[in-house]
Amino acid sequence: MREIRYLGDPVLRTAAEPVTEFDRDLRRLIDEMFATMYLANGVGLAGPQIGVPKRLFVYEITNRKGHVVNPELTIDDPDEVVEEEGCLSVPGRETGKPLYAPTPRAAGVTVRGFDQLGRPLAITARGMLARCFQHEFDHLEGRLYVDRLPRDTARQIMLQTP
Ligand code: ZN
């Protein structure tokens, strides 16, 4: 279990560095990321969100669970889909729970990367999983979902954060 970093922490606004060692420390880090995500009732968590500026994320959504190291994201279907989206790093001041807003994302993506042993993997996704992959990939580029909202909506969200 690791401490989750919140909006305003510079690590969330920094592009993460590639993972170079596929070792025991990496496997421990992935375990800790899953534990942290589950405890917070999240469906995805990226390295920077626990203060680790490395390019990896974990996810579990609609019975699909996994992790991706050094991901690359390809848009397969650029049709824009707008659905409610939130982030463990953007909690409400009152509730401590993620703040949600309708957020535009591409309908279909493929993520290519590596597993914890350095084996290549590729996952094609639509729907909520595709949204999750785009959200987590954004974290590795120092972006947050609020960056994709209309300015007024983003401001409303910011006003509710700690
Ligand atoms: Zn997030």
Side-chain angles (χ1 to χ4, degrees), residues 17-31:
E17 296 289 329
V19 171
T20 53
E21 305 291 329
F22 291 81
D23 57 7
R24 186 173 296 182
D25 286 347
L26 178 64
R27 293 190 278 284
R28 185 178 303 126
L29 174 61
I30 290 167
D31 287 345

Side-chain angles (χ1 to χ4, degrees), residues 1 9 13 16 26 32 34 37 39 46 48-49 55 66 74 86 99 101 111 119 131 142 150-151 159:
M1 170 61 193
D9 190 315
R13 291 309 197 174
L26 178 64
E32 289 174 354
F34 270 115
M37 180 181 79
L39 204 63
Q49 291 184 275
R55 300 187 76 84
T74 309
L99 297 164
V111 164
R119 298 177 297 205
R131 176 170 298 276
R151 187 180 298 247
L159 286 172

